[in-house]
Amino acid sequence: MLASMHSAAPAPFVRRDRGASRDPLDLTYGIEEEFFLIDPASRELVTTPSGKFLRACRLRLPDRVGEELLQAQLEVVTPILHSADHARESLSELRFELGRIGNAHGIGLVASGTHPLANWEDQRHTDKPRYDQLTEDFQIVARRNLLCGLHVHVGVPEGADRVSLMHRLMPWVPVFLALSTSSPFWNGRPTGLFSYRQAAYDEWPRSGIPDDFTCEEDYAGFIDLLARCGALTDGSFLWWAVRPSARFPTLELRIADACTRLEDSLALAAAFRCLVRAHLRQPGLGATRTAFSRRVIDENRWRAKRYGTEASFIDEEAEATLALPDVVERMLRLLAPDADALNCEKELAHLRTIVLHGTSAHAQLALYRDQRTRCLSRNEALLPVIDWLAAETVSATAGRSPASPPSRLRTAPAR
């Protein structure tokens, strides 16, 4: 970069050309967003959503909404996307429709990596064979998986090795975490991290930064070994921060926290699409790796989850650190030709807005800190945070301007 979970989408991802002359680098993509379901009065999670609510979701959003490991969560999945405008229209509609269904059944929607007040011990897992098996196999790790993320699939042209591509763009992956952090609280307490979701997710095996597989054949051999030894069934049980999809001809970004703001989701998805395109367009880009590289990437991932946009990242080649704003500017310069070709300059420019004003985690912490100065208890101070999350999750889809975020927090600890 600086140098050079288990859930599957309910709708298939295939490349569908709109005309025979389609540019192979005009990459299709798809976005998956996970949400918490809350009781708007208590702000607590809805541990067992009603059958009527779930049936309404399936009826109004067929093949676009899926259940997660825990019943208090749902996932929405866009159709195959061909442009940034298509993404905006699809994701906005999905948030709006799910929010409207929820309103009709007394359920609110929250997009964040963790729910500030929720207790994992109160949750129930979804009764499906895959989730039953995960809970049996992973025990408390599965039961604690009260986490929501943003996943982005980008279609990779036939003949391109997705594993080689994955490793060449891997140094940029922690940037997507830093720009998406939305999980500073856990079990009613500030964690001191901007993405506790990533810390909790590290409890799972086969997560984090993947090992140095040389190619898809090498990667498939690893899956085959684990399958023959009974460790997994297929590649969907590899929960890396980025991975070749087991079901679709895509590269899937998984590191990002669920983005509270719709604009942030759209920006990160467009940036990942451009990043894949840049590395397809320039076969030598990111090809140099050393014995240090994987560990440097993981160190930058730690910095992203600890500090969010306040992080400084290690530049292995320069043997120095770069502040995130400088890293983002470097990324934008690299991706400028791709943003132009894919007509998503506006979406990528929004990355600067995130850097300037902070992520959802910044807004949550600033609001919480303000409430605590009024001598409120931790739980009392978190109620306005959840209200802000719920309002912001659907604000841009309802024709309203997003709520003004609280003043940005910079390093001041929350208590």
Side-chain angles (χ1 to χ4, degrees):
M1 151 186 87
L2 304 176
S4 348
M5 149 151 231
H6 44 261
S7 172
F13 191 111
V14 294
R15 289 184 294 273
R16 296 175 182 168
D17 290 349
R18 292 183 172 177
S21 62
R22 183 178 178 84
D23 183 346
L25 290 182
D26 188 12
L27 306 177
T28 56
Y29 65 127
I31 304 171
E32 303 167 6
E33 288 195 306
E34 296 167 348
F35 301 97
F36 291 112
L37 306 176
I38 68 165
D39 179 332
S42 69
R43 286 82 147 193
E44 297 283 356
L45 290 179
V46 178
T47 57
T48 308
S50 70
K52 289 183 178 180
F53 167 73
L54 295 174
R55 285 192 294 274
C57 289
R58 296 187 191 105
L59 180 65
R60 297 257 291 273
L61 299 169
D63 298 325
R64 295 287 163 241
V65 63
E67 296 166 300
E68 284 293 297
L69 174 59
L70 299 175
Q71 293 185 41
Q73 299 163 276
L74 282 182
E75 177 186 65
V76 298
V77 181
T78 68
I80 298 169
L81 304 171
H82 297 267
S83 69
D85 287 343
H86 189 193
R88 182 178 301 278
E89 176 186 359
S90 297
L91 208 57
S92 178
E93 181 179 1
L94 285 168
R95 285 199 184 199
F96 174 75
E97 287 296 335
L98 188 58
R100 186 164 69 170
I101 297 167
N103 285 339
H105 293 83
I107 292 175
L109 203 63
V110 162
S112 61
T114 58
H115 181 284
L117 274 175
N119 188 332
W120 63 267
E121 294 177 282
D122 297 334
Q123 307 310 311
R124 300 179 183 180
H125 82 268
T126 301
D127 186 17
K128 287 186 176 182
R130 179 181 174 95
Y131 297 149
D132 292 343
Q133 189 62 53
L134 283 170
T135 304
E136 173 61 28
D137 288 348
F138 297 103
Q139 294 293 312
I140 193 173
V141 173
R143 294 194 296 271
R144 275 173 44 87
N145 195 55
L146 197 58
L147 312 166
C148 285
L150 165 72
H151 300 165
V152 182
H153 287 262
V154 175
V156 176
E158 187 175 353
D161 190 294
R162 291 179 298 166
V163 169
S164 173
L165 179 65
M166 174 180 73
H167 283 300
R168 289 197 292 117
L169 60 77
M170 187 83 68
W172 293 102
V173 167
V175 178
F176 289 87
L177 176 60
L179 292 170
S180 68
T181 53
S182 64
S183 50
F185 299 103
W186 180 254
N187 269 22
R189 289 178 176 271
T191 64
L193 308 181
F194 282 77
S195 177
Y196 182 73
R197 168 184 165 271
Q198 269 292 297
Y201 213 63
D202 284 342
E203 294 184 352
W204 287 85
R206 307 181 294 277
S207 62
I209 302 301
D211 296 289
D212 289 329
F213 303 102
T214 57
C215 60
E216 287 202 50
E217 183 179 1
D218 191 23
Y219 190 82
F222 174 70
I223 294 171
D224 183 60
L225 171 63
L226 267 59
R228 283 188 280 110
C229 295
L232 49 69
T233 304
D234 56 44
S236 69
F237 291 85
L238 302 176
W239 298 297
W240 311 123
V242 61
R243 70 180 183 185
S245 172
R247 296 182 63 194
F248 316 126
T250 65
L251 199 59
E252 179 187 7
L253 179 75
R254 299 174 53 84
I255 197 170
D257 279 4
C259 291
T260 307
R261 303 178 180 101
L262 177 67
E263 290 297 328
D264 294 1
S265 291
L266 293 170
L268 292 172
F272 187 60
R273 183 188 183 204
C274 287
L275 191 68
V276 172
R277 187 183 189 277
H279 285 76
L280 288 169
R281 181 171 54 84
Q282 302 179 68
L285 188 61
T288 301
R289 293 177 66 84
T290 74
F292 301 161
S293 296
R294 180 180 177 275
R295 286 300 175 189
V296 169
I297 295 166
D298 211 28
E299 180 67 22
N300 286 337
R301 182 173 71 100
W302 158 250
R303 289 166 176 245
K305 63 186 172 184
R306 169 64 179 88
Y307 298 107
T309 55
E310 305 297 331
S312 61
F313 282 4
I314 297 172
D315 182 328
E316 182 185 357
E317 183 178 8
E319 298 184 356
T321 59
L322 281 177
L324 186 75
D326 297 325
V327 175
V328 169
E329 288 303 320
R330 186 175 289 190
M331 174 188 273
L332 292 174
R333 288 195 297 272
L334 171 67
L335 301 183
D338 306 284
D340 178 64
L342 297 175
N343 194 26
C344 57
E345 297 99 327
K346 180 176 71 173
E347 284 71 22
L348 261 65
H350 182 72
L351 300 182
R352 293 190 179 101
T353 301
I354 299 174
V355 170
L356 180 63
H357 295 293
T359 63
S360 170
H362 285 94
Q364 291 178 56
L365 286 164
L367 182 54
Y368 173 79
R369 184 180 60 175
D370 177 68
Q371 297 299 307
R372 289 286 280 165
T373 64
R374 305 179 188 191
C375 299
L376 298 180
S377 69
R378 288 192 182 97
N379 279 16
E380 290 171 334
L382 284 171
L383 296 179
V385 175
I386 299 169
D387 289 341
W388 179 83
L389 286 168
E392 189 70 8
T393 296
V394 298
S395 65
T397 71
R400 302 193 305 271
S401 298
S404 298
S407 58
R408 177 169 180 157
L409 174 74
R410 289 188 182 274
T411 70
R415 298 183 300 276

